[in-house]
Amino acid sequence: MNNSDDLPIALSEKLSLNEKLAYGAGDLGPAITANVLGVFLLIFFTNVAGLKPGMAGSILLISKIWDAINDPIIGVLSDRTRSRWGRRHPWMLFGAVPFGIFFFLQWVVPHFSNDPIANQWGLFWFYVAISIVFNSFYTAVNLPYTALTPELTQDYDERTSLNSYRFAFSISGSILSLILALGIFAAFKGDPAKQYLVLGGVCAVLSVLPLYWCVWGTRKRVAITERQRQETTTEASLPYLEQLKIVFSNKPFLYVIGIYLCSWLAVQNTVSVIPYFVKNWMQLEDADFTKVVIAVQVTALAMLFVWGKVSQRYGKKAVYFMGMTVWIIAQVGLFFLQPGQNILLYVLAIMAGFGVSTAYLIPWSMIPDVIELDELQTGQRREGIFYGFMVLLQKVALAIGLFIVGWVLQKSGFLETVSGQPAPIQPDSALWAIRMLVGPAPLVVLLIGLGLAYLYPITKEVHAEILLKLQERKRAQAEDT
């Protein structure tokens, strides 16, 4: 009845290498798709599909309005899911294939009318529809995946280690997608529409398969911890709005989402504008901006495990401050960078990678601690709704970044490429806007994020006290039964 043979496995705080690798693989597909969309979608819309920059940026913003409703609801539904595969795995199993299909469809350029204005609006609504459906399936696979973290281990440092594996796969996926882009763009040089279509197809396949590896590799531990959760957790179901009220009364969670939103606004704003910065301001080739982003991602990957070790010694807040400081210096340097300073461009990209690494690692390793504080206060575990807002914020940051870049470029007089004609020379007003977007704009939100990190209250010692109180409660409940 008590399944005592399973308890040592579930209670062991150390995960095996195979479990960590399988868990990490679950973020490979979402990372590939998110990175390709973040780096290439806006420039694909303006330079291949021929949409105006403001209209292109609006597409992502509209899809995120749906996500504002969709993400928390899927979070609650995954919390309430009951199956022999646990709460999270069914979403990943059945959502994976549609997730890949609708990612691919975003790179199709249909023709709706010979009238340029009518064709613009046809393309606009086509991409809005595809983006809404794709983002729904992105949420269906990625949100339950992220909610697995606190179900796999309760150890403060082990969670940082687990997230190091996760983001090692995540950043590797981002790097892989950029390397694929370089190869595919070279193979289909001169045909931009085919370049992006092939890139979309290859990345769609690569994004689906690792999700099944994740489910297979974590299934045993998830099954055991889910059984324990059902035996020890009160299952009183609260209305959705009541759950939202509880979540947003959790002050440490508000700090975490603030830190995360600031970090990812800076990431997505920079990633969105860097193609225009490298091509139009630095006067380099199309392939060079991909190489710059690779330099950032390779550095972020290399630093993940370094920051993980530093965090064990000095804490998560200290690591965040270290990484952000280097990143801020890099953003300021990009603003003052001049055409021809190509080596310095890559130096600054590497420096930015130090901070981007902490933007991946630290907020996500804070969230499980917040969830356990909520469990201590309410008697329930509601990972889905907490992670729902984290996934939502990541996509909101992407949407806001693309929207801001698109509209600022349009208001500055940026000239979009007309199909079949050479790229236009941009006016000084557009070049100034590009420089402001790559330097001062991210700087402001990074400084706000540092202030929020300073105020974040859950230290390693506080988390240990939370776990101790939870264990005492569960022991008392076991004695009562």
Side-chain angles (χ1 to χ4, degrees):
M1 180 68 180
N2 292 330
N3 301 297
S4 58
D5 292 340
D6 289 339
L7 290 178
I9 300 174
L11 297 176
S12 172
E13 300 299 349
K14 298 297 181 183
L15 286 84
S16 69
L17 177 61
N18 287 338
E19 287 174 322
K20 289 183 178 180
L21 289 172
Y23 175 76
D27 212 31
L28 186 65
I32 289 173
T33 58
N35 191 65
V36 172
L37 293 172
V39 175
F40 296 112
L41 191 59
L42 187 59
I43 202 164
F44 166 78
F45 281 156
T46 59
N47 290 15
V48 178
L51 288 167
K52 292 184 178 298
M55 187 175 283
S58 298
I59 292 170
L60 270 296
L61 191 65
I62 291 172
S63 71
K64 299 317 171 192
I65 293 173
W66 160 246
D67 270 343
I69 303 169
N70 171 50
D71 284 17
I73 290 176
I74 289 182
V76 171
L77 291 176
S78 74
D79 280 344
R80 296 178 179 177
T81 298
R82 298 292 178 267
S83 78
R84 61 191 180 93
W85 298 304
R87 294 186 292 172
R88 318 300 176 186
H89 284 167
W91 292 86
M92 299 168 67
L93 284 169
F94 297 110
V97 172
F99 161 69
I101 290 172
F102 282 93
F103 172 76
F104 170 73
L105 290 176
Q106 291 179 101
W107 307 99
V108 174
V109 186
H111 181 75
F112 292 99
S113 174
N114 291 326
D115 177 14
I117 296 177
N119 194 58
Q120 281 265 318
W121 282 106
L123 288 169
F124 176 81
W125 290 113
F126 171 79
Y127 290 123
V128 165
I130 295 299
S131 293
I132 288 174
V133 179
F134 165 74
N135 279 289
S136 297
F137 283 109
Y138 182 102
T139 301
V141 298
N142 189 241
L143 192 155
Y145 162 74
T146 59
L148 284 174
T149 309
E151 297 184 6
L152 295 175
T153 179
Q154 288 188 325
D155 184 81
Y156 186 86
D157 291 324
E158 189 73 357
R159 283 173 173 170
T160 303
S161 172
L162 188 62
N163 276 290
S164 296
Y165 279 85
R166 172 190 171 185
F167 291 116
F169 274 92
S170 179
I171 298 175
S172 295
S174 299
I175 295 168
L176 174 61
S177 68
L178 295 172
I179 293 172
L180 286 170
L182 286 174
I184 291 169
F185 290 174
F188 297 94
K189 194 170 185 179
D191 191 346
K194 183 172 287 187
Q195 287 174 337
Y196 285 104
L197 193 65
V198 173
L199 179 64
V202 172
C203 289
V205 174
L206 293 177
S207 297
V208 169
L209 297 178
L211 289 165
Y212 294 107
W213 177 13
C214 176
V215 171
W216 179 259
T218 60
R219 71 194 190 286
K220 291 183 180 179
R221 183 178 287 261
V222 166
I224 295 168
T225 54
E226 172 66 9
R227 185 162 62 246
Q228 286 185 301
R229 186 195 65 81
Q230 292 180 12
E231 292 173 354
T232 60
T233 303
T234 303
E235 290 294 334
S237 179
L238 295 175
Y240 176 65
L241 291 179
E242 185 67 22
Q243 292 204 44
L244 286 184
K245 183 179 178 181
I246 292 172
V247 166
F248 281 98
S249 67
N250 188 317
K251 290 184 179 179
F253 177 65
L254 299 181
Y255 285 118
V256 172
I257 60 176
I259 294 165
Y260 188 62
L261 181 58
C262 288
S263 301
W264 275 92
L265 268 175
V267 170
Q268 297 300 344
N269 183 87
T270 305
V271 167
S272 300
V273 79
I274 204 71
Y276 300 97
F277 179 80
V278 171
K279 184 174 181 179
N280 298 115
W281 175 248
M282 296 300 292
Q283 300 173 15
L284 298 174
E285 298 297 324
D286 287 345
D288 288 298
F289 77 76
T290 305
K291 295 175 183 176
V292 169
V293 178
I294 289 175
V296 175
Q297 298 285 14
V298 168
T299 306
L301 174 61
M303 288 301 299
L304 271 180
F305 294 97
V306 175
W307 288 134
K309 293 294 184 183
V310 175
S311 175
Q312 290 180 15
R313 183 164 184 175
Y314 297 105
K316 297 171 185 177
K317 288 170 63 171
V319 165
Y320 189 79
F321 269 82
M322 295 175 195
M324 290 300 111
T325 301
V326 180
W327 189 2
I328 285 171
I329 295 170
Q331 295 293 155
V332 173
L334 285 172
F335 175 74
F336 290 105
L337 199 64
Q338 297 298 311
Q341 296 178 318
N342 298 342
I343 295 176
L344 185 55
L345 172 64
Y346 283 95
V347 171
L348 293 172
I350 291 170
M351 291 175 64
F354 279 73
V356 170
S357 186
T358 60
Y360 279 104
L361 182 62
I362 299 304
W364 284 105
S365 65
M366 289 175 169
I367 278 292
D369 308 336
V370 169
I371 289 170
E372 271 144 9
L373 175 62
D374 177 67
E375 182 184 6
L376 181 63
Q377 293 172 341
T378 68
Q380 294 188 10
R381 290 186 70 87
R382 55 186 106 245
E383 293 94 336
I385 195 165
F386 281 101
Y387 280 97
F389 280 100
M390 288 293 279
V391 174
L392 169 62
L393 285 172
Q394 185 173 2
K395 290 185 284 187
V396 165
L398 171 62
I400 292 174
L402 290 172
F403 178 77
I404 290 173
V405 171
W407 276 104
V408 169
L409 288 179
Q410 182 160 314
K411 294 298 182 182
S412 70
F414 181 87
L415 303 173
E416 67 270 15
T417 300
V418 178
S419 179
Q421 297 184 15
I425 297 174
Q426 299 299 334
D428 290 341
S429 57
L431 295 177
W432 177 253
I434 289 168
R435 294 178 65 203
M436 291 294 291
L437 286 168
V438 86
L443 173 64
V444 172
V445 291
L446 288 176
L447 289 173
I448 295 172
L450 279 178
L452 294 172
Y454 178 78
L455 297 171
Y456 178 69
I458 301 182
T459 63
K460 189 172 183 176
E461 292 73 24
V462 171
H463 179 255
E465 184 178 347
I466 291 170
L467 283 185
L468 181 61
K469 291 179 179 178
L470 284 173
Q471 289 169 2
E472 289 174 350
R473 176 192 290 171
K474 291 175 181 178
R475 188 179 300 113
Q477 289 174 343
E479 290 173 356
D480 291 340
T481 56

